[in-house]
Amino acid sequence: MDNNKQIRYYTDELITEASQLLIDKGLLTFDKLSDLQGRASLTLKGIDTLLREEAIVNEEELLKTFSEVSNIPYHPIGDYKVEDEAIQMVTPKVALRHRIVPITYCDGVLLLAVSRVPTLSMVDGLRMILNVGIEFILCPERDIGMSLTHFYGLGAESIDQLIAEAEAMEMREERDEKSDIAVKTQETGVVRFINLIIAEAIRMDATDVHIEPYEDTLRLRYRIDGILQHIPLPNGVDRLRNAVSSAVKIMANMDIAEHRKPHDGRINVHCGNNDYDLRVSVLPTGWGETCCLRILNRGTTKVDLDHLGLSPYQLPKIAKLTDLPHGVVLMTGPTGSGKTTTLYALLARLNQSGTKIITVEDPVEYQMGGISQVQVHSKIGLTFASILRSILRHDPDVILIGEIRDSETADIAVRSSLTGHLVLSTLHTNDAPSAIARLTDMGVEPYLTASCVEGIVAQRLVRRVCQNCFDVITPPATIFEEIKGFYPDTIENAKFIHGHGCPTCGFTGYRGRSAINEVMIMTDALRALVIERAPSNIIKDLAIKEGMVTLRRDGWLRVVEGRTSVDEVLRVAGRMEEGD
């Protein structure tokens, strides 16, 4: 911070100068300013507050203007690495009351982030409370809100009220042993707390919410970009353990009186402009009931293969699979590797008026217009195998099987392709060549596999480095040399990046995911090895010689492109692959 400039705090004079500067920049008019001044006197809100609330001026431009007038620097929080020592110096109550985020502490000075120029009385009060020197930066209100949630806990501003209400209800319950737990849960506002948890999960693009009670705490975790992330909760939330699980069960229409058995249910919510279907699972544990909520967007999905971020080496090979008249195309990888998303991108290409497409799934994860989607229901005998037998009498051109789980499903899938159908499905194997051995283990004869399988795509998802907080690093020498062997022409200009964390990415350093693939197109030479029952490693070696790009090699391309980090590729494709 430039100590040569005198810091100015919030005054009417400063507001006037800032307003004039906005007019000079062409961001505000005299008429609009006069209107704001009139409403400010009626609502007792500052002009800067009205400008932000009504989005009259872009927040970034507004803050930069106030930075010029006040001499308080403007910086997004992502420009800094937030220090734990600084966070510990400010209590949640003080941070939430004044909307401040501690950033760094150095040489007796605490740097605080605020979204508006502080008043002199606020500064004096903070200096007295914190007993340290204070400096400020201006940053967007969104950064402030997300940082407060991350560092001080979700719902910290209302937890005291929730605890007080819960304790009051417990005292009332002691006087009346027959009090209704449903009424208790609703009266204490815990449902509002659950809604806050769900809304925050949707905002952070989480796929699953885990609410887990333990002896002396309640843990909340979101699965974001395939990784479970701990979400801080405020102190005292452990007192709400039982009320939280009861509230979830009420919202999912479960039996709240039964605590000994697992429960399954659904919650339908509307958030923003979208409707979401939450699949709820409740399990009894030693310290209470643990809840898992899977978040599914109920909207119709439009998945475009060209927009999945596939590498230029792999996209043409995968797209070519949609030109096949018949045969089996397999997607392999672990749960959560985006197999179904890629398959639906293929279906979107095949979805023409002259093509009949039927899918069999458990559950139906995407809604897509123009195709017939069948949900498996094992309790009434509606299994993959039974549905497939009926589908073949329904004159389809393309069949998507959610997953080949057993020998009967595998046999029907293979034989369906022999009768002129294009069959798309998924398998759980580590790489593409291993899918051949998996089908053999399921009882499919090698000659059938060789004649029917046209292509196998192995897939993993790597997290993208957040573009708001990345640093350029130097990779280990061995990794650099390995990548250089694959991409000698591009590595010299490549930037190896790593995110240090910011509000945009939830302080993880990553935001979003990108697919890495291994595409094995069946050739006559490969089919001969399959018929001979050759081991997977022999099949893989030949596939690489014929041009197959392995998962690890495709991952290094993502690193060279600046999409992901070395650590991410090592996490999902860590071992040195044979033939690389």
Side-chain angles (χ1 to χ4, degrees):
M1 186 174 294
D2 189 350
N3 295 321
N4 295 324
K5 293 183 178 180
Q6 180 65 38
I7 300 299
R8 302 175 61 196
Y9 297 110
Y10 191 97
T11 61
D12 291 340
E13 181 183 357
L14 182 135
I15 293 297
T16 300
E17 289 184 28
S19 300
Q20 183 60 51
L21 187 54
L22 288 170
I23 293 173
D24 294 341
K25 292 180 177 180
L27 301 172
L28 188 65
T29 64
F30 281 110
D31 291 340
K32 193 64 179 179
L33 177 59
S34 298
D35 177 56
L36 288 172
Q37 289 171 335
R39 285 191 286 125
S41 61
L42 292 174
T43 61
L44 300 180
K45 291 182 178 181
I47 290 177
D48 60 326
T49 301
L50 293 175
L51 285 169
R52 178 185 284 112
E53 289 180 352
E54 300 178 19
I56 297 170
V57 178
N58 176 273
E59 185 179 20
E60 183 177 346
E61 292 294 339
L62 181 65
L63 290 172
K64 287 181 177 179
T65 300
F66 273 98
S67 175
E68 291 181 48
V69 176
S70 66
N71 294 323
I72 298 176
Y74 167 80
H75 287 286
I77 290 179
D79 291 350
Y80 298 86
K81 181 172 177 57
V82 179
E83 298 175 354
D84 290 336
E85 181 185 6
I87 294 294
Q88 297 299 324
M89 294 179 67
V90 182
T91 64
K93 186 174 182 180
V94 172
L96 291 165
R97 178 181 177 185
H98 296 286
R99 303 291 294 176
I100 58 175
V101 178
I103 304 295
T104 60
Y105 180 66
C106 181
D107 298 330
V109 177
L110 182 64
L111 182 63
L112 301 174
V114 292
S115 62
R116 59 180 299 182
V117 178
T119 63
L120 184 58
S121 61
M122 171 183 165
V123 175
D124 290 340
L126 287 174
R127 283 176 178 158
M128 185 179 299
I129 293 171
L130 302 176
N131 195 29
V132 293
I134 294 176
E135 291 182 352
F136 294 93
I137 60 168
L138 292 173
C139 71
E141 171 59 31
R142 183 170 179 270
D143 279 13
I144 296 292
M146 295 169 68
S147 299
L148 289 174
T149 296
H150 177 78
F151 291 111
Y152 292 106
L154 184 64
E157 64 278 0
S158 60
I159 191 65
D160 290 339
Q161 179 183 355
L162 285 175
I163 292 173
E165 291 176 350
E167 290 178 345
M169 186 57 64
E170 287 174 2
M171 293 177 63
R172 194 182 312 168
E173 190 179 52
E174 289 177 0
R175 296 192 299 267
D176 182 8
E177 295 182 355
K178 296 182 179 180
S179 62
D180 189 342
I181 189 172
V183 174
K184 168 187 173 180
T185 305
Q186 292 168 351
E187 285 185 1
T188 57
V190 179
V191 171
R192 293 195 303 274
F193 183 55
I194 299 299
N195 286 332
L196 177 63
I197 290 175
I198 295 171
E200 183 69 7
I202 292 172
R203 184 192 65 76
M204 296 179 71
D205 294 328
T207 56
D208 300 85
V209 177
H210 296 261
I211 306 173
E212 304 159 318
Y214 293 96
E215 182 178 7
D216 55 0
T217 188
L218 181 71
R219 183 167 70 173
L220 173 64
R221 294 189 292 176
Y222 294 161
R223 189 174 295 280
I224 303 172
D225 295 335
I227 303 295
L228 273 178
Q229 297 180 17
H230 178 256
I231 305 300
L233 291 174
N235 293 332
V237 75
D238 56 292
R239 302 184 192 180
L240 304 175
R241 286 178 300 172
N242 294 332
V244 164
S245 61
S246 296
V248 170
K249 291 167 71 174
I250 289 169
M251 297 169 69
N253 295 317
M254 299 175 180
D255 182 3
I256 61 173
E258 178 57 72
H259 300 283
R260 300 167 298 173
K261 296 180 180 179
H263 298 265
D264 292 309
R266 290 189 178 188
I267 301 174
N268 297 323
V269 298
H270 182 80
C271 186
N273 298 321
N274 297 312
D275 292 317
Y276 296 88
D277 183 15
L278 276 62
R279 302 186 180 219
V280 183
S281 175
V282 176
L283 291 174
T285 69
W287 303 111
E289 292 174 297
T290 181
C291 308
C292 178
L293 291 71
R294 164 65 60 89
I295 302 174
L296 300 173
N297 191 329
R298 295 215 310 261
T300 300
T301 302
K302 295 181 180 179
V303 186
D304 189 341
L305 193 64
D306 294 325
H307 295 147
L308 290 183
L310 302 177
S311 74
Y313 293 103
Q314 310 290 42
L315 177 58
K317 296 179 182 178
I318 296 176
K320 193 175 181 180
L321 296 174
T322 60
D323 298 331
L324 296 170
H326 53 76
V328 176
V329 175
L330 296 173
M331 288 289 303
T332 75
T335 301
S337 60
K339 301 187 299 294
T340 304
T341 300
T342 303
L343 281 181
Y344 264 89
L346 293 176
L347 283 188
R349 285 195 166 219
L350 293 164
N351 192 11
Q352 308 294 331
S353 59
T355 304
K356 172 74 171 182
I357 301 174
I358 303 180
T359 74
V360 188
E361 302 170 79
D362 183 21
V364 175
E365 295 187 29
Y366 294 98
Q367 300 292 335
M368 181 176 285
I371 65 177
S372 302
Q373 298 172 278
V374 183
Q375 168 82 49
V376 168
H377 198 333
S378 301
K379 291 183 179 179
I380 61 173
L382 203 62
T383 62
F384 277 106
S386 64
I387 296 172
L388 283 172
R389 282 192 289 268
S390 300
I391 280 178
L392 295 177
R393 296 191 291 271
H394 214 73
D395 189 29
D397 298 297
V398 179
I399 301 171
L400 184 146
I401 305 171
E403 181 184 348
I404 295 179
R405 297 180 178 178
D406 52 48
S407 58
E408 187 176 10
T409 304
D411 184 64
I412 295 175
V414 169
R415 295 185 185 279
S416 298
S417 69
L418 290 174
T419 56
H421 302 91
L422 179 60
V423 179
L424 311 178
S425 190
T426 68
L427 271 178
H428 290 292
T429 62
N430 290 327
D431 57 14
S434 299
I436 301 296
R438 184 80 179 98
L439 289 175
T440 303
D441 290 342
M442 287 184 170
V444 179
E445 291 295 333
Y447 75 89
L448 284 176
T449 300
S451 60
C452 296
V453 175
E454 297 292 339
I456 305 171
V457 182
Q459 181 165 295
R460 299 288 190 280
L461 294 178
V462 292
R463 293 179 293 171
R464 297 185 183 214
V465 174
C466 176
Q467 296 301 303
N468 292 322
C469 64
F470 70 85
D471 300 317
V472 178
I473 64 170
T474 301
T478 53
I479 297 296
F480 183 86
E481 290 301 321
E482 181 185 345
I483 299 175
K484 186 176 181 179
F486 294 131
Y487 307 106
D489 298 332
T490 56
I491 194 169
E492 296 302 331
N493 297 321
K495 289 184 178 179
F496 295 85
I497 60 176
H498 186 274
H500 61 253
C502 69
T504 301
C505 61
F507 296 90
T508 63
Y510 297 96
R511 182 69 173 173
R513 289 188 286 181
S514 182
I516 61 173
N517 301 94
E518 179 177 280
V519 185
M520 189 174 81
I521 304 298
M522 295 297 288
T523 63
D524 290 341
L526 288 172
R527 295 182 199 279
L529 287 181
V530 172
I531 293 175
E532 294 171 4
R533 297 178 181 264
S536 296
N537 62 315
I538 302 298
I539 295 174
K540 182 171 186 175
D541 289 343
L542 178 58
I544 291 173
K545 289 178 183 178
E546 294 187 343
M548 183 181 79
V549 176
T550 62
L551 285 167
R552 186 181 177 101
R553 180 174 177 177
D554 199 36
W556 292 142
L557 178 62
R558 292 292 186 274
V559 173
V560 171
E561 292 173 339
R563 296 191 183 204
T564 191
S565 67
V566 170
D567 290 341
E568 268 298 284
V569 175
L570 293 176
R571 181 179 67 85
V572 302
R575 67 182 180 84
M576 292 294 293
E577 297 173 339
E578 296 178 23
D580 282 8

